[in-house]
Protein backbone atom coordinates (compact mmCIF):
# COMPACT_ATOMS: atom_id res chain seq x y z
CA UNK A 1 0.00 0.00 0.00
CA UNK A 2 2.88 2.36 0.78
CA UNK A 3 4.46 1.51 -2.58
CA UNK A 4 1.20 2.05 -4.44
CA UNK A 5 0.63 5.36 -2.70
CA UNK A 6 4.16 6.64 -3.27
CA UNK A 7 3.90 5.70 -6.97
CA UNK A 8 0.51 7.39 -7.23
CA UNK A 9 2.01 10.51 -5.64
CA UNK A 10 4.47 10.57 -8.57
CA UNK A 11 1.57 10.48 -11.01
CA UNK A 12 1.87 6.80 -11.94
CA UNK A 13 -1.16 4.76 -12.89
CA UNK A 14 -1.36 2.18 -10.10
CA UNK A 15 -3.04 -1.21 -9.74
CA UNK A 16 -2.86 -2.84 -6.30
CA UNK A 17 -3.61 -6.57 -6.18
CA UNK A 18 -4.59 -8.19 -2.87
CA UNK A 19 -5.34 -11.89 -2.56
CA UNK A 20 -7.72 -11.56 0.38
CA UNK A 21 -11.14 -9.95 0.50
CA UNK A 22 -9.71 -7.07 2.52
CA UNK A 23 -6.52 -5.06 2.70
CA UNK A 24 -4.16 -5.19 5.67
CA UNK A 25 -2.07 -8.38 5.83
CA UNK A 26 0.14 -8.99 8.85
CA UNK A 27 0.51 -5.23 9.27
CA UNK A 28 -3.13 -4.94 10.31
CA UNK A 29 -2.80 -7.53 13.11
CA UNK A 30 0.45 -6.04 14.44
CA UNK A 31 0.84 -3.86 17.51
CA UNK A 32 1.87 -1.02 15.19
CA UNK A 33 5.23 0.10 16.57
CA UNK A 34 7.55 1.97 14.22
CA UNK A 35 11.17 2.29 15.35
CA UNK A 36 13.28 5.04 13.81
CA UNK A 37 16.08 7.49 14.60
CA UNK A 38 16.17 11.31 14.19
CA UNK A 39 12.40 11.66 14.04
CA UNK A 40 10.60 14.93 14.66
CA UNK A 41 8.94 13.28 17.70
CA UNK A 42 12.34 12.44 19.20
CA UNK A 43 13.55 15.98 18.51
CA UNK A 44 10.47 17.45 20.23
CA UNK A 45 11.32 15.25 23.25
CA UNK A 46 14.91 16.59 23.24
CA UNK A 47 16.43 13.26 22.13
CA UNK A 48 19.64 13.48 20.15
CA UNK A 49 20.05 10.51 17.79
CA UNK A 50 21.92 9.33 14.72
CA UNK A 51 20.87 6.76 12.04
CA UNK A 52 24.31 5.11 12.28
CA UNK A 53 23.87 4.63 16.06
CA UNK A 54 20.53 3.04 15.26
CA UNK A 55 22.16 0.71 12.74
CA UNK A 56 24.76 -0.31 15.36
CA UNK A 57 22.12 -0.87 18.06
CA UNK A 58 19.98 -3.12 15.83
CA UNK A 59 23.04 -5.38 15.55
CA UNK A 60 23.09 -5.81 19.34
CA UNK A 61 19.63 -7.46 19.53
CA UNK A 62 20.85 -10.84 18.29
CA UNK A 63 24.68 -10.87 18.06
CA UNK A 64 24.98 -14.50 16.84
CA UNK A 65 22.98 -13.58 13.72
CA UNK A 66 24.89 -10.37 13.05
CA UNK A 67 27.43 -11.93 10.63
CA UNK A 68 24.51 -12.88 8.33
CA UNK A 69 23.00 -9.40 8.45
CA UNK A 70 23.16 -6.91 5.57
CA UNK A 71 24.55 -3.94 7.45
CA UNK A 72 24.86 -1.71 4.40
CA UNK A 73 21.19 -2.04 3.44
CA UNK A 74 20.25 -1.64 7.10
CA UNK A 75 22.15 1.66 7.12
CA UNK A 76 20.14 2.81 4.10
CA UNK A 77 16.98 1.83 6.03
CA UNK A 78 17.92 3.65 9.26
CA UNK A 79 18.80 6.78 7.26
CA UNK A 80 15.43 6.78 5.50
CA UNK A 81 13.06 5.65 8.28
CA UNK A 82 12.51 9.08 9.87
CA UNK A 83 11.42 10.49 6.51
CA UNK A 84 8.88 7.70 6.24
CA UNK A 85 7.53 8.56 9.69
CA UNK A 86 7.23 12.20 8.58
CA UNK A 87 5.45 11.05 5.39
CA UNK A 88 3.00 8.99 7.46
CA UNK A 89 2.34 11.91 9.80
CA UNK A 90 1.71 14.12 6.78
CA UNK A 91 -0.80 11.53 5.56
CA UNK A 92 -2.65 12.04 8.86
CA UNK A 93 -1.28 9.30 11.16
CA UNK A 94 -0.62 10.04 14.84
CA UNK A 95 2.14 8.44 16.92
CA UNK A 96 2.76 8.12 20.63
CA UNK A 97 6.28 7.90 22.05
CA UNK A 98 9.16 7.50 21.65
CA UNK A 99 9.49 4.59 24.12
CA UNK A 100 12.77 2.99 25.16
CA UNK A 101 13.77 -0.52 24.13
CA UNK A 102 17.30 -1.55 25.14
CA UNK A 103 19.84 -2.17 23.67
CA UNK A 104 18.69 0.91 21.73
CA UNK A 105 20.75 3.65 23.39
CA UNK A 106 17.90 6.20 23.20
CA UNK A 107 14.09 5.88 22.96
CA UNK A 108 13.17 5.19 19.31
CA UNK A 109 9.90 3.26 19.35
CA UNK A 110 6.90 5.19 18.03
CA UNK A 111 3.46 3.62 18.40
CA UNK A 112 0.73 4.45 15.95
CA UNK A 113 -2.54 5.63 17.51
CA UNK A 114 -4.97 3.99 18.11
CA UNK A 115 -3.60 0.74 16.57
CA UNK A 116 -1.92 -0.77 13.49
CA UNK A 117 -5.16 -0.76 11.50
CA UNK A 118 -4.68 3.02 11.25
CA UNK A 119 -1.87 2.47 8.70
CA UNK A 120 -4.26 0.53 6.49
CA UNK A 121 -7.24 2.84 6.90
CA UNK A 122 -5.25 6.01 6.18
CA UNK A 123 -3.38 4.61 3.17
CA UNK A 124 -6.57 3.05 1.80
CA UNK A 125 -8.37 6.41 1.89
CA UNK A 126 -5.42 8.13 0.23
CA UNK A 127 -5.16 5.49 -2.49
CA UNK A 128 -8.83 5.89 -3.35
CA UNK A 129 -8.40 9.67 -3.42
CA UNK A 130 -5.55 9.24 -5.93
CA UNK A 131 -7.67 7.03 -8.16
CA UNK A 132 -5.54 3.90 -7.60
CA UNK A 133 -7.26 0.72 -8.74
CA UNK A 134 -7.56 -1.81 -5.89
CA UNK A 135 -8.32 -5.38 -6.93
CA UNK A 136 -9.29 -7.60 -4.00
CA UNK A 137 -9.36 -11.42 -4.26
CA UNK A 138 -6.64 -11.27 -6.92
CA UNK A 139 -3.90 -13.73 -5.99
CA UNK A 140 -0.77 -13.08 -8.02
CA UNK A 141 0.52 -16.41 -9.36
CA UNK A 142 3.40 -15.56 -11.63
CA UNK A 143 5.38 -12.83 -13.30
CA UNK A 144 6.07 -12.43 -17.02
CA UNK A 145 9.64 -11.71 -17.95
CA UNK A 146 11.23 -11.34 -21.39
CA UNK A 147 14.02 -13.98 -21.27
CA UNK A 148 16.78 -12.28 -19.23
CA UNK A 149 15.14 -8.90 -19.79
CA UNK A 150 12.54 -6.92 -17.86
CA UNK A 151 9.45 -8.01 -15.98
CA UNK A 152 6.50 -6.83 -18.06
CA UNK A 153 3.47 -8.02 -16.16
CA UNK A 154 1.82 -10.66 -14.05
CA UNK A 155 -0.97 -13.19 -13.83
CA UNK A 156 -3.42 -13.31 -10.94
CA UNK A 157 -6.02 -15.90 -9.99
CA UNK A 158 -9.54 -14.65 -9.30
CA UNK A 159 -12.88 -16.35 -8.64
CA UNK A 160 -13.64 -15.89 -12.35
CA UNK A 161 -10.39 -17.29 -13.68
CA UNK A 162 -6.93 -15.94 -14.47
CA UNK A 163 -6.32 -12.26 -15.16
CA UNK A 164 -3.20 -10.87 -16.88
CA UNK A 165 -1.98 -7.37 -16.22
CA UNK A 166 0.71 -5.54 -18.18
CA UNK A 167 3.05 -3.38 -16.12
CA UNK A 168 4.54 -0.50 -18.06
CA UNK A 169 6.96 0.72 -15.38
CA UNK A 170 7.30 -2.23 -13.10
CA UNK A 171 5.93 -4.68 -10.56
CA UNK A 172 6.53 -4.16 -6.83
CA UNK A 173 6.28 -7.33 -4.76
CA UNK A 174 5.03 -6.71 -1.22
CA UNK A 175 3.24 -9.97 -0.46
CA UNK A 176 4.41 -10.37 3.14
CA UNK A 177 6.17 -13.17 4.99
CA UNK A 178 6.15 -16.99 4.85
CA UNK A 179 5.41 -17.74 8.52
CA UNK A 180 2.56 -20.01 7.40
CA UNK A 181 4.03 -21.19 4.08
CA UNK A 182 4.61 -24.88 4.80
CA UNK A 183 5.98 -25.63 1.34
CA UNK A 184 8.56 -22.85 1.27
CA UNK A 185 9.50 -23.28 4.97
CA UNK A 186 10.12 -27.00 4.42
CA UNK A 187 12.80 -26.15 1.86
CA UNK A 188 14.87 -24.10 4.30
CA UNK A 189 14.01 -25.16 7.86
CA UNK A 190 14.06 -28.39 9.87
CA UNK A 191 10.68 -30.15 9.95
CA UNK A 192 10.05 -29.41 13.63
CA UNK A 193 10.18 -25.66 12.86
CA UNK A 194 8.70 -25.72 9.35
CA UNK A 195 5.50 -27.42 10.53
CA UNK A 196 4.72 -24.78 13.19
CA UNK A 197 1.88 -22.49 12.08
CA UNK A 198 2.32 -18.79 11.39
CA UNK A 199 0.23 -16.28 13.34
CA UNK A 200 -1.14 -14.89 10.08
CA UNK A 201 -2.60 -17.88 8.21
CA UNK A 202 -2.38 -16.00 4.88
CA UNK A 203 1.37 -15.37 5.16
CA UNK A 204 2.32 -18.12 2.72
CA UNK A 205 5.40 -16.66 1.02
CA UNK A 206 3.79 -16.19 -2.40
CA UNK A 207 6.03 -13.24 -3.28
CA UNK A 208 9.20 -15.16 -2.41
CA UNK A 209 8.17 -18.07 -4.62
CA UNK A 210 6.95 -15.97 -7.55
CA UNK A 211 10.23 -14.02 -7.71
CA UNK A 212 12.40 -17.11 -7.27
CA UNK A 213 10.60 -18.69 -10.24
CA UNK A 214 12.02 -16.00 -12.55
CA UNK A 215 15.57 -16.13 -11.22
CA UNK A 216 15.59 -13.86 -8.15
CA UNK A 217 17.84 -14.82 -5.28
CA UNK A 218 16.52 -15.50 -1.77
CA UNK A 219 18.66 -14.76 1.30
CA UNK A 220 18.51 -15.88 4.95
CA UNK A 221 15.44 -18.06 4.39
CA UNK A 222 16.40 -20.17 7.42
CA UNK A 223 15.94 -17.23 9.79
CA UNK A 224 12.47 -16.97 11.33
CA UNK A 225 11.12 -15.16 14.40
CA UNK A 226 9.87 -18.11 16.46
CA UNK A 227 8.53 -20.61 17.10
CA UNK A 228 7.43 -18.72 20.17
CA UNK A 229 4.93 -19.69 22.87
CA UNK A 230 2.00 -17.27 23.10
CA UNK A 231 -1.33 -17.28 24.86
CA UNK A 232 -4.29 -17.85 22.58
CA UNK A 233 -6.02 -14.61 21.57
CA UNK A 234 -8.66 -13.28 23.98
CA UNK A 235 -12.30 -13.78 22.99
CA UNK A 236 -12.63 -10.02 22.44
CA UNK A 237 -9.92 -7.75 21.06
CA UNK A 238 -8.65 -5.31 23.73
CA UNK A 239 -10.15 -1.82 23.78
CA UNK A 240 -7.23 -0.20 21.91
CA UNK A 241 -7.62 -2.71 19.06
CA UNK A 242 -11.33 -2.05 18.72
CA UNK A 243 -11.03 1.71 18.28
CA UNK A 244 -11.80 2.80 14.73
CA UNK A 245 -8.85 4.24 12.82
CA UNK A 246 -10.53 7.60 12.46
CA UNK A 247 -8.12 10.56 11.92
CA UNK A 248 -9.94 12.92 14.30
CA UNK A 249 -10.13 10.28 17.04
CA UNK A 250 -6.45 9.45 16.49
CA UNK A 251 -5.53 13.12 16.91
CA UNK A 252 -7.52 13.37 20.14
CA UNK A 253 -6.05 10.11 21.47
CA UNK A 254 -2.53 11.19 20.52
CA UNK A 255 -2.91 14.36 22.58
CA UNK A 256 -4.68 12.54 25.44
CA UNK A 257 -1.87 9.94 25.68
CA UNK A 258 0.70 12.68 26.19
CA UNK A 259 -1.37 14.04 29.09
CA UNK A 260 -2.26 10.72 30.75
CA UNK A 261 -0.62 10.06 34.13
CA UNK A 262 2.04 7.33 33.90
CA UNK A 263 0.09 4.75 36.00
CA UNK A 264 -2.93 5.04 33.69
CA UNK A 265 -0.73 4.63 30.61
CA UNK A 266 1.02 1.65 32.24
CA UNK A 267 -2.36 0.03 32.86
CA UNK A 268 -3.32 0.44 29.20
CA UNK A 269 0.03 -0.98 28.12
CA UNK A 270 -0.39 -3.95 30.47
CA UNK A 271 -3.65 -4.82 28.78
CA UNK A 272 -1.84 -4.96 25.44
CA UNK A 273 1.05 -6.88 27.02
CA UNK A 274 -1.11 -9.70 28.39
CA UNK A 275 -2.79 -9.93 25.00
CA UNK A 276 0.24 -10.04 22.71
CA UNK A 277 3.46 -10.80 24.56
CA UNK A 278 4.84 -14.28 25.09
CA UNK A 279 5.42 -15.86 28.53
CA UNK A 280 9.06 -15.64 29.59
CA UNK A 281 11.21 -18.81 29.43
CA UNK A 282 12.32 -18.07 33.01
CA UNK A 283 8.92 -19.44 34.12
CA UNK A 284 10.13 -22.88 33.08
CA UNK A 285 13.69 -22.47 34.31
CA UNK A 286 12.31 -21.62 37.75
CA UNK A 287 10.02 -24.67 37.86
CA UNK A 288 6.80 -24.39 35.82
CA UNK A 289 5.70 -27.42 33.81
CA UNK A 290 3.59 -27.89 30.70
CA UNK A 291 0.72 -30.33 30.35
CA UNK A 292 -1.32 -31.13 27.26
CA UNK A 293 -5.10 -31.59 26.98
CA UNK A 294 -4.67 -35.14 28.35
CA UNK A 295 -3.11 -33.74 31.53
CA UNK A 296 0.29 -35.22 30.64
CA UNK A 297 3.73 -33.71 30.45
CA UNK A 298 5.36 -34.19 27.05
CA UNK A 299 8.77 -32.49 27.02
CA UNK A 300 11.69 -31.02 28.96
CA UNK A 301 10.12 -27.62 29.61
CA UNK A 302 13.52 -26.01 30.08
CA UNK A 303 14.69 -27.01 26.58
CA UNK A 304 12.80 -25.33 23.68
CA UNK A 305 9.30 -26.53 24.66
CA UNK A 306 7.89 -24.45 21.78
CA UNK A 307 8.95 -27.23 19.42
CA UNK A 308 6.97 -29.90 21.28
CA UNK A 309 3.65 -28.06 21.75
CA UNK A 310 2.64 -28.26 18.05
CA UNK A 311 2.71 -32.07 18.31
CA UNK A 312 0.16 -32.16 21.18
CA UNK A 313 -3.63 -32.64 20.86
CA UNK A 314 -5.14 -29.46 19.34
CA UNK A 315 -1.53 -28.10 19.33
CA UNK A 316 -2.09 -26.51 22.76
CA UNK A 317 -0.70 -26.80 26.29
CA UNK A 318 -1.15 -25.31 29.78
CA UNK A 319 1.57 -23.89 32.03
CA UNK A 320 1.17 -25.24 35.59
CA UNK A 321 2.49 -23.48 38.70
CA UNK A 322 1.89 -23.68 42.45
CA UNK A 323 1.60 -20.82 44.96
CA UNK A 324 5.36 -20.69 45.68
CA UNK A 325 6.20 -20.17 42.04
CA UNK A 326 3.28 -17.81 41.42
CA UNK A 327 4.56 -15.65 44.29
CA UNK A 328 7.98 -15.50 42.63
CA UNK A 329 6.36 -14.25 39.40
CA UNK A 330 4.34 -11.59 41.21
CA UNK A 331 7.11 -9.03 41.62
CA UNK A 332 10.23 -7.63 39.98
CA UNK A 333 12.52 -9.04 38.60
CA UNK A 334 10.36 -12.06 37.77
CA UNK A 335 7.67 -11.04 35.29
CA UNK A 336 5.50 -13.32 33.16
CA UNK A 337 5.79 -11.12 30.06
CA UNK A 338 7.22 -7.78 29.04
CA UNK A 339 7.76 -5.16 26.41
CA UNK A 340 11.27 -4.44 27.74
CA UNK A 341 11.66 -1.25 29.77
CA UNK A 342 8.11 -0.16 28.91
CA UNK A 343 5.84 -2.38 31.00
CA UNK A 344 5.95 -5.70 32.84
CA UNK A 345 3.05 -8.08 33.48
CA UNK A 346 2.98 -10.34 36.56
CA UNK A 347 0.71 -13.20 37.69
CA UNK A 348 -1.81 -10.78 39.22
CA UNK A 349 -2.06 -8.92 35.89
CA UNK A 350 -2.99 -12.13 34.08
CA UNK A 351 -5.53 -12.96 36.80
CA UNK A 352 -7.11 -9.51 36.46
CA UNK A 353 -6.84 -8.90 32.72
CA UNK A 354 -6.83 -12.36 31.10
CA UNK A 355 -9.36 -14.43 33.08
CA UNK A 356 -9.76 -16.53 29.91
CA UNK A 357 -6.21 -17.93 30.25
CA UNK A 358 -5.94 -17.96 34.07
CA UNK A 359 -7.33 -20.70 36.35
CA UNK A 360 -6.68 -21.19 40.06
CA UNK A 361 -7.85 -23.93 42.47
CA UNK A 362 -6.96 -25.35 45.86
CA UNK A 363 -6.36 -28.86 44.53
CA UNK A 364 -4.76 -30.16 41.35
CA UNK A 365 -7.93 -32.12 40.57
CA UNK A 366 -10.14 -29.02 40.79
CA UNK A 367 -7.69 -27.09 38.65
CA UNK A 368 -7.75 -29.83 36.03
CA UNK A 369 -11.55 -29.81 35.94
CA UNK A 370 -11.64 -26.02 35.54
CA UNK A 371 -9.55 -26.24 32.38
CA UNK A 372 -11.38 -29.30 31.06
CA UNK A 373 -8.53 -31.77 31.58
CA UNK A 374 -8.67 -35.21 33.24
CA UNK A 375 -8.26 -34.69 37.01
CA UNK A 376 -6.56 -38.03 37.70
CA UNK A 377 -4.04 -37.43 34.94
CA UNK A 378 -3.00 -34.02 36.30
CA UNK A 379 -2.67 -35.38 39.86
CA UNK A 380 -0.50 -38.23 38.60
CA UNK A 381 1.58 -35.85 36.44
CA UNK A 382 2.27 -33.52 39.37
CA UNK A 383 3.10 -36.46 41.63
CA UNK A 384 5.57 -37.93 39.14
CA UNK A 385 7.14 -34.55 38.40
CA UNK A 386 7.65 -33.79 42.10
CA UNK A 387 9.39 -37.16 42.57
CA UNK A 388 11.80 -36.29 39.74
CA UNK A 389 12.22 -32.81 41.09
CA UNK A 390 13.29 -34.17 44.48
CA UNK A 391 15.74 -36.54 42.79
CA UNK A 392 13.69 -39.63 43.74
CA UNK A 393 13.18 -40.67 40.14
CA UNK A 394 14.62 -39.90 36.72
CA UNK A 395 12.69 -37.37 34.64
CA UNK A 396 11.25 -39.22 31.60
CA UNK A 397 11.96 -36.18 29.37
CA UNK A 398 15.52 -35.67 30.54
CA UNK A 399 14.82 -32.49 32.47
CA UNK A 400 17.64 -31.63 34.84
CA UNK A 401 16.87 -27.95 35.45
CA UNK A 402 14.22 -28.12 38.23
CA UNK A 403 12.78 -25.56 40.62
CA UNK A 404 11.23 -26.55 43.96
CA UNK A 405 8.44 -29.18 43.76
CA UNK A 406 4.98 -27.97 42.74
CA UNK A 407 3.11 -28.85 45.93
CA UNK A 408 1.78 -25.63 47.53
CA UNK A 409 -1.88 -24.75 46.89
CA UNK A 410 -3.45 -22.93 45.22
CA UNK A 411 -2.41 -24.44 41.91
CA UNK A 412 -2.55 -22.27 38.82
CA UNK A 413 -2.87 -22.99 35.10
CA UNK A 414 -2.00 -20.41 32.46
CA UNK A 415 -3.26 -21.22 29.00
CA UNK A 416 -4.08 -22.50 26.52
CA UNK A 417 -0.75 -21.57 24.98
CA UNK A 418 0.27 -22.39 21.41
CA UNK A 419 3.51 -22.15 19.44
CA UNK A 420 3.64 -19.82 16.50
CA UNK A 421 6.10 -18.46 14.00
CA UNK A 422 5.61 -14.71 14.36
CA UNK A 423 7.33 -13.52 11.23
CA UNK A 424 10.18 -14.43 8.90
CA UNK A 425 13.43 -12.73 8.00
CA UNK A 426 14.29 -14.36 4.68
CA UNK A 427 13.67 -12.31 1.55
CA UNK A 428 14.74 -11.33 -1.92
CA UNK A 429 18.18 -9.98 -2.59
CA UNK A 430 17.66 -6.32 -3.47
CA UNK A 431 19.68 -3.21 -4.27
CA UNK A 432 19.47 0.03 -2.27
CA UNK A 433 16.96 1.12 -4.92
CA UNK A 434 14.68 -1.80 -3.97
CA UNK A 435 15.45 -3.52 -7.31
CA UNK A 436 15.32 -7.31 -7.16
CA UNK A 437 18.64 -9.00 -7.98
CA UNK A 438 19.50 -12.44 -9.29
CA UNK A 439 22.14 -14.80 -7.89
CA UNK A 440 24.89 -12.92 -9.78
CA UNK A 441 23.78 -9.64 -8.25
CA UNK A 442 22.35 -8.44 -11.56
CA UNK A 443 19.19 -6.31 -11.50
CA UNK A 444 16.01 -7.93 -12.83
CA UNK A 445 14.66 -4.85 -14.62
CA UNK A 446 11.14 -3.82 -13.73
CA UNK A 447 10.95 -5.87 -10.52
CA UNK A 448 11.06 -4.27 -7.06
CA UNK A 449 10.38 -5.66 -3.60
CA UNK A 450 9.47 -4.25 -0.22
CA UNK A 451 8.58 -5.34 3.31
CA UNK A 452 9.07 -9.01 4.10
CA UNK A 453 9.56 -9.78 0.39
CA UNK A 454 12.42 -7.32 0.11
CA UNK A 455 14.43 -8.10 3.23
CA UNK A 456 17.63 -8.08 1.17
CA UNK A 457 19.56 -10.13 3.75
CA UNK A 458 18.62 -7.90 6.67
CA UNK A 459 17.63 -9.48 9.97
CA UNK A 460 15.50 -7.01 11.88
CA UNK A 461 15.40 -8.28 15.45
CA UNK A 462 13.80 -5.83 17.90
CA UNK A 463 10.37 -4.24 17.96
CA UNK A 464 9.07 -1.78 15.39
CA UNK A 465 11.60 -2.51 12.66
CA UNK A 466 9.49 -4.66 10.36
CA UNK A 467 6.74 -2.11 9.96
CA UNK A 468 9.28 0.70 9.64
CA UNK A 469 11.00 -1.30 6.90
CA UNK A 470 7.77 -2.34 5.15
CA UNK A 471 6.65 1.27 4.91
CA UNK A 472 10.10 2.70 4.13
CA UNK A 473 10.92 0.16 1.42
CA UNK A 474 7.40 0.53 0.02
CA UNK A 475 7.66 4.31 -0.10
CA UNK A 476 11.05 4.13 -1.84
CA UNK A 477 10.08 1.34 -4.25
CA UNK A 478 6.93 3.17 -5.31
CA UNK A 479 8.77 6.39 -5.93
CA UNK A 480 11.62 4.71 -7.83
CA UNK A 481 9.40 2.41 -9.92
CA UNK A 482 7.19 5.34 -10.91
CA UNK A 483 10.26 7.14 -12.26
CA UNK A 484 11.44 4.20 -14.34
CA UNK A 485 11.01 4.27 -18.09
CA UNK A 486 10.34 0.89 -19.70
CA UNK A 487 13.37 -0.72 -21.41
C1 LIG B 1 1.10 -10.35 16.17
C2 LIG B 1 2.16 -9.56 15.44
C3 LIG B 1 2.52 -8.32 15.94
C4 LIG B 1 3.50 -7.56 15.27
N1 LIG B 1 3.79 -6.33 15.74
C5 LIG B 1 4.70 -5.58 15.08
C6 LIG B 1 4.94 -4.24 15.48
O1 LIG B 1 4.30 -3.69 16.38
N2 LIG B 1 5.92 -3.54 14.81
C7 LIG B 1 6.61 -4.08 13.78
O2 LIG B 1 7.48 -3.41 13.22
N3 LIG B 1 6.36 -5.33 13.35
C8 LIG B 1 5.40 -6.08 13.95
N4 LIG B 1 5.13 -7.33 13.47
C9 LIG B 1 5.73 -7.74 12.18
C10 LIG B 1 5.11 -6.88 11.05
O3 LIG B 1 3.75 -6.67 11.31
C11 LIG B 1 5.27 -7.47 9.67
O4 LIG B 1 6.56 -7.96 9.48
C12 LIG B 1 4.98 -6.42 8.59
O5 LIG B 1 3.77 -5.76 8.88
C13 LIG B 1 4.93 -7.06 7.23
O6 LIG B 1 4.54 -6.11 6.27
P1 LIG B 1 4.47 -6.54 4.73
O7 LIG B 1 3.97 -5.37 3.98
O8 LIG B 1 5.74 -7.16 4.30
O9 LIG B 1 3.38 -7.72 4.68
P2 LIG B 1 1.82 -7.71 4.97
O10 LIG B 1 1.39 -6.63 5.87
O11 LIG B 1 1.45 -9.11 5.36
O12 LIG B 1 1.18 -7.39 3.55
C14 LIG B 1 1.26 -8.30 2.48
C15 LIG B 1 -0.06 -8.32 1.74
O13 LIG B 1 0.09 -9.06 0.53
C16 LIG B 1 -1.04 -9.91 0.36
N5 LIG B 1 -0.64 -11.04 -0.49
C17 LIG B 1 0.11 -12.11 -0.16
N6 LIG B 1 0.29 -12.92 -1.21
C18 LIG B 1 -0.36 -12.33 -2.25
C19 LIG B 1 -0.56 -12.69 -3.61
N7 LIG B 1 -0.05 -13.83 -4.14
N8 LIG B 1 -1.30 -11.87 -4.40
C20 LIG B 1 -1.85 -10.73 -3.90
N9 LIG B 1 -1.71 -10.35 -2.60
C21 LIG B 1 -0.97 -11.14 -1.80
C22 LIG B 1 -1.39 -10.30 1.77
O14 LIG B 1 -2.71 -10.81 1.88
C23 LIG B 1 -1.18 -9.00 2.53
O15 LIG B 1 -2.32 -8.19 2.54
C24 LIG B 1 4.14 -8.09 14.11
C25 LIG B 1 3.78 -9.34 13.61
C26 LIG B 1 2.79 -10.06 14.26
C27 LIG B 1 2.39 -11.39 13.68
Amino acid sequence: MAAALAAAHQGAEVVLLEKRGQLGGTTSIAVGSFTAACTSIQKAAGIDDDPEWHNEDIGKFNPPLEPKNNRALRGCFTRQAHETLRWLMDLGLEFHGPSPEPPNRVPRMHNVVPNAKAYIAVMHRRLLAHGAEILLRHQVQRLFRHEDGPVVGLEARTQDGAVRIRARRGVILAAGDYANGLEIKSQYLPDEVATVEGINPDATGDGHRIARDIGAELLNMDVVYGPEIRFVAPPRAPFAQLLPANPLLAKLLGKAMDLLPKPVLQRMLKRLLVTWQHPEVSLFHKGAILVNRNGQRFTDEADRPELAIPRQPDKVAYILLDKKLADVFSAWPNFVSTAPDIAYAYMQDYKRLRADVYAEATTAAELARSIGVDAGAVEATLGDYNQACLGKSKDPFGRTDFGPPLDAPPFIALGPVKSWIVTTEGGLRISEKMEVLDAEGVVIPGLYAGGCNGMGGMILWGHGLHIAWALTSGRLAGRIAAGRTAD
Side-chain angles (χ1 to χ4, degrees):
M1 294 180 82
L5 191 55
H9 282 165
Q10 300 293 310
E13 197 183 327
V14 176
V15 183
L16 172 71
L17 294 104
E18 164 58 55
K19 73 174 171 182
R20 297 187 60 229
Q22 66 190 70
L23 297 168
T26 305
T27 309
S28 67
I29 59 166
V31 178
S33 53
F34 185 115
T35 299
C38 299
T39 68
S40 56
I41 300 176
Q42 279 182 316
K43 282 183 190 139
I47 296 164
D48 187 26
D49 205 355
D50 184 314
E52 202 34 50
W53 295 348
H54 189 196
N55 192 359
E56 274 173 26
D57 293 350
I58 297 173
K60 295 175 197 158
F61 275 85
N62 194 333
L65 286 178
E66 192 53 5
K68 295 177 82 156
N69 219 321
N70 184 344
R71 205 185 153 119
L73 184 62
R74 211 171 64 189
C76 162
F77 163 40
T78 56
R79 283 192 296 281
Q80 290 283 342
H82 68 97
E83 281 187 28
T84 307
L85 193 76
R86 180 74 263 161
W87 184 70
L88 295 167
M89 289 163 75
D90 290 344
L91 292 177
L93 285 155
E94 289 284 326
F95 290 85
H96 174 69
S99 305
E101 187 192 23
N104 277 309
R105 69 192 78 184
V106 292
R108 294 186 173 120
M109 195 199 295
H110 305 70
N111 280 293
V112 73
V113 180
N115 55 57
K117 291 187 180 65
Y119 293 118
I120 310 305
V122 167
M123 289 193 286
H124 189 188
R125 265 196 300 274
R126 296 289 177 147
L127 280 168
L128 294 177
H130 274 85
E133 193 175 352
I134 299 175
L135 301 176
L136 299 179
R137 297 189 188 84
H138 278 62
Q139 180 165 20
V140 180
Q141 297 282 312
R142 62 182 173 131
L143 297 166
F144 297 117
R145 183 180 185 194
H146 279 320
E147 301 263 314
D148 282 345
V151 168
V152 291
L154 56 84
E155 184 174 278
R157 188 171 59 200
T158 75
Q159 282 155 332
D160 305 320
V163 172
R164 291 181 172 192
I165 296 178
R166 197 168 110 77
R168 279 197 296 275
R169 291 172 200 259
V171 172
I172 302 170
L173 286 174
D177 59 87
Y178 51 95
N180 205 41
L182 180 60
E183 196 191 319
I184 198 153
K185 279 188 295 179
S186 307
Q187 292 164 32
Y188 300 96
L189 293 157
D191 252 20
E192 55 181 3
V193 178
T195 49
V196 178
E197 289 166 59
I199 291 186
N200 175 3
D202 295 303
T204 46
D206 298 11
H208 297 75
R209 181 183 51 73
I210 292 165
R212 190 184 55 187
D213 287 350
I214 61 150
E217 191 181 17
L218 291 167
L219 302 171
N220 289 341
M221 291 296 284
D222 56 332
V223 185
V224 297
Y225 202 103
E228 191 173 81
I229 299 178
R230 291 190 172 214
F231 294 102
V232 295
R236 261 181 348 110
F239 180 64
Q241 291 276 317
L242 290 172
L243 290 172
N246 169 307
L248 187 66
L249 179 70
K251 222 168 208 59
L252 282 172
L253 279 169
K255 296 276 168 285
M257 283 179 94
D258 289 339
L259 301 174
L260 282 178
K262 215 169 172 201
V264 178
L265 203 58
Q266 288 274 344
R267 205 181 152 90
M268 283 173 65
L269 283 169
K270 275 202 178 171
R271 191 170 282 282
L272 288 176
L273 260 187
V274 295
T275 307
W276 298 117
Q277 290 305 103
H278 62 93
E280 293 290 310
V281 287
S282 55
L283 268 173
F284 302 116
H285 289 295
K286 289 197 187 292
I289 60 167
L290 283 164
V291 296
N292 60 18
R293 284 222 194 274
N294 300 331
Q296 292 157 340
R297 282 181 66 223
F298 50 86
T299 190
D300 172 357
E301 293 86 350
D303 182 19
R304 303 204 69 195
E306 59 275 14
L307 295 177
I309 294 174
R311 294 195 298 274
Q312 302 313 304
D314 298 333
K315 302 183 179 182
V316 301
Y318 293 86
I319 304 170
L320 292 198
L321 303 83
D322 71 346
K323 182 181 185 319
K324 295 193 297 298
L325 194 53
D327 286 348
V328 171
F329 281 87
S330 296
W332 176 263
N334 298 303
F335 40 87
V336 178
S337 59
T338 179
D341 245 33
I342 302 170
Y344 299 88
Y346 299 96
M347 289 301 287
Q348 59 273 27
D349 297 311
Y350 277 86
K351 183 173 183 175
R352 188 166 55 88
L353 299 169
R354 285 296 309 264
D356 60 312
V357 294
Y358 183 97
E360 187 182 303
T362 39
T363 66
E366 262 176 72
L367 182 74
R369 278 191 287 272
S370 72
I371 56 171
V373 171
D374 184 77
V378 172
E379 281 179 323
T381 295
L382 274 175
D384 291 347
Y385 173 75
N386 287 340
Q387 290 293 308
C389 202
L390 295 167
K392 294 185 181 161
S393 65
K394 196 168 172 301
D395 186 75
F397 306 100
R399 181 165 175 167
T400 50
D401 181 6
F402 297 104
L406 298 173
D407 54 8
F411 296 95
I412 294 144
L414 294 175
V417 292
K418 275 186 87 166
S419 286
W420 273 287
I421 294 185
V422 183
T423 188
T424 56
E425 304 293 302
L428 298 166
R429 185 173 179 190
I430 59 165
S431 72
E432 292 189 6
K433 290 194 211 153
M434 312 300 127
E435 300 153 313
V436 175
L437 308 176
D438 67 15
E440 273 75 53
V442 176
V443 171
I444 300 178
L447 187 62
Y448 303 84
C452 291
N453 279 176
M455 291 297 285
M458 286 189 300
I459 298 168
L460 299 177
W461 238 249
H463 289 104
L465 293 172
H466 287 95
I467 286 184
W469 172 245
L471 297 170
T472 298
S473 54
R475 178 177 68 82
L476 294 174
R479 204 170 65 190
I480 295 165
R484 172 177 175 266
T485 41
D487 304 66

